[in-house]
């Protein structure tokens, strides 16, 4: 297994909307979720060659990294973040999508409602992408210094990319550098989150062109539970001696089964 480590620096407050969520209270994950990270990196690759993919609410096109590349999310360093809650007006219409567009055309008058909105503030997020395909993984190194909109609200850029670094699989007691899947959290004090992974169409793994403007072959999302623990936990990890990435979390994101 090979790993890229990325340092992502926000340029504003961030909202990675927790799902499911209420309509009027917009809460944020305290980290960059794997699926959001996947879309962010794919869009940076498209921006690199001059493409500006649009977004939509109804029947959207998805732009994500191919399934051979597995983003594990990006995380603030321990205790070096805060969640700020405020009031703000938002669009009442559910199908409104102008705020998510890179280019916003002039629109008609909208009807607003009052939201309670959460923002994640942190100096940087440390993220990981793993793959068995070292060559394809290396193509992501060129996103360094690129940035764009990220998540529900906010902007960020990739400050630094290191790797690919080869990892070995070993069972050890360690503090995980990412979330843990639900099975690993049974009986352990933790904070759990509902997350999602992509449901890929059959044959989607053949699409490995990161800069081609064709949308990703994604049919929907599959829910699962993941969480974080404060201390060390014994599991099977992919590791280089410094970074510890739980095999069971990677298996969960790739749609496999693991007892690790």
């Amino acid at each position: 297994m090979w790993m890229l480590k990325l340092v992502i620096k926000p340029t504003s407050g961030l909202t990675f909307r927790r799902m499911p969520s209420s309509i009027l209270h917009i809460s944020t994950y305290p980290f960059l979720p794997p699926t959001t990270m996947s879309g962010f990196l794919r869009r940076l690759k498209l921006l690199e060659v001059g493409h500006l993919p649009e977004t939509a609410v109804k029947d959207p096109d998805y732009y994500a990294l191919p399934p051979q590349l597995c983003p594990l999310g990006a995380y603030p360093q321990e205790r070096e973040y805060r969640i700020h809650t405020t009031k703000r007006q938002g669009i009442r219409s559910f199908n409104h999508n102008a705020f998510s567009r890179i280019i916003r055309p002039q629109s008609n008058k909208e009807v607003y409602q009052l939201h309670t909105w959460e923002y994640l503030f942190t100096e940087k997020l440390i993220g990981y992408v793993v793959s068995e395909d070292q060559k394809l993984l290396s193509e992501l190194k060129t996103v360094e210094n690129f940035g764009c909109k990220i998540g529900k609200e906010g902007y960020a850029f990739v400050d630094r990319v290191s790797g690919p670094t080869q990892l070995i699989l070993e069972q050890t007691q360690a503090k995980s550098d990412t979330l843990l899947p639900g099975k690993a959290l049974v009986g352990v004090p933790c904070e759990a989150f509902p997350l999602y992974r992509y449901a890929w169409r059959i044959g989607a793994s053949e699409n490995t062109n990161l800069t081609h403007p064709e949308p990703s072959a994604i049919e929907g999302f599959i829910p699962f539970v993941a969480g974080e623990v404060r201390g060390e936990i014994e599991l099977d990890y992919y590791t280089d001696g410094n970074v510890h990435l739980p095999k069971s979390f990677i298996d969960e994101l790739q749609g496999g089964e693991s007892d690790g």
Side-chain angles (χ1 to χ4, degrees):
M1 184 70 74
W2 296 87
M3 172 193 74
L4 279 187
K5 181 177 180 180
L6 301 93
V7 178
I8 299 172
K9 288 196 172 182
T11 59
S12 64
L14 307 173
T15 301
F16 304 120
R17 188 175 185 179
R18 288 202 197 195
M19 299 296 289
S21 175
S22 70
I23 296 175
L24 294 180
H25 177 63
I26 311 300
S27 57
T28 184
Y29 292 104
F31 53 83
L32 170 61
T35 47
T36 308
M37 182 180 183
S38 180
F40 175 67
L41 294 177
R42 175 73 190 284
R43 286 176 180 273
L44 294 187
K45 289 296 295 184
L46 294 175
L47 285 170
E48 181 184 334
V49 293
H51 294 302
L52 292 172
E54 279 291 359
T55 60
V57 172
K58 183 178 180 181
D59 299 324
D61 289 327
Y62 296 108
Y63 294 89
L65 297 178
Q68 301 99 311
L69 301 179
C70 183
L72 305 182
Y75 307 87
Q77 293 183 316
E78 191 172 4
R79 293 183 296 278
E80 292 188 0
Y81 74 92
R82 66 184 180 94
I83 302 295
H84 175 69
T85 304
T86 188
K87 299 289 186 180
R88 60 175 281 184
Q89 287 186 325
I91 302 299
R92 186 180 296 273
S93 174
F94 179 76
N95 63 0
H96 176 85
N97 65 1
F99 289 167
S100 298
R101 296 176 182 174
I102 296 175
I103 300 174
R104 301 180 188 175
Q106 185 176 2
S107 59
N108 295 328
K109 184 177 180 180
E110 299 284 357
V111 179
Y112 288 84
Q113 60 187 358
L114 189 63
H115 293 280
T116 301
W117 202 289
E118 291 183 355
Y119 292 94
L120 169 65
F121 285 92
T122 184
E123 180 182 346
K124 60 184 176 182
L125 299 157
I126 308 299
Y128 307 93
V129 184
V130 297
S131 179
E132 298 285 359
D133 190 333
Q134 180 187 6
K135 182 179 179 181
L136 182 61
L137 188 63
S138 296
E139 293 183 26
L140 286 179
K141 289 179 67 68
T142 58
V143 302
E144 190 169 285
N145 294 322
F146 277 83
C148 70
K149 184 181 184 295
I150 187 170
K152 175 73 174 176
E153 187 83 11
Y155 293 82
F157 70 97
V158 178
D159 180 60
R160 188 166 65 255
V161 181
S162 56
T165 303
Q166 189 167 21
L167 307 176
I168 62 171
L169 181 63
E170 66 175 32
Q171 186 177 46
T172 186
Q173 183 94 7
K175 180 173 176 55
S176 174
D177 287 285
T178 69
L179 297 175
L180 302 169
K183 288 182 179 180
L185 301 173
V186 176
V188 179
C190 66
E191 183 175 4
F193 305 93
L195 290 178
Y196 299 83
R197 66 173 185 263
Y198 294 122
W200 292 91
R201 290 202 299 268
I202 295 175
S205 62
E206 299 174 2
N207 179 16
T208 60
N209 190 331
L210 299 181
T211 59
H212 194 281
E214 182 181 359
S216 300
I218 294 171
E219 296 182 327
F221 296 86
I222 300 171
F224 68 96
V225 174
E228 57 184 6
V229 298
R230 289 294 180 184
E232 296 182 347
I233 184 170
E234 185 172 354
L235 289 173
D236 289 336
Y237 293 96
Y238 287 105
T239 179
D240 63 352
N242 296 310
V243 174
H244 292 83
L245 308 178
K247 179 180 182 298
S248 52
F249 186 51
I250 296 171
D251 290 342
E252 181 70 65
L253 289 170
Q254 294 180 327
E257 295 292 335
S258 174
D259 298 324

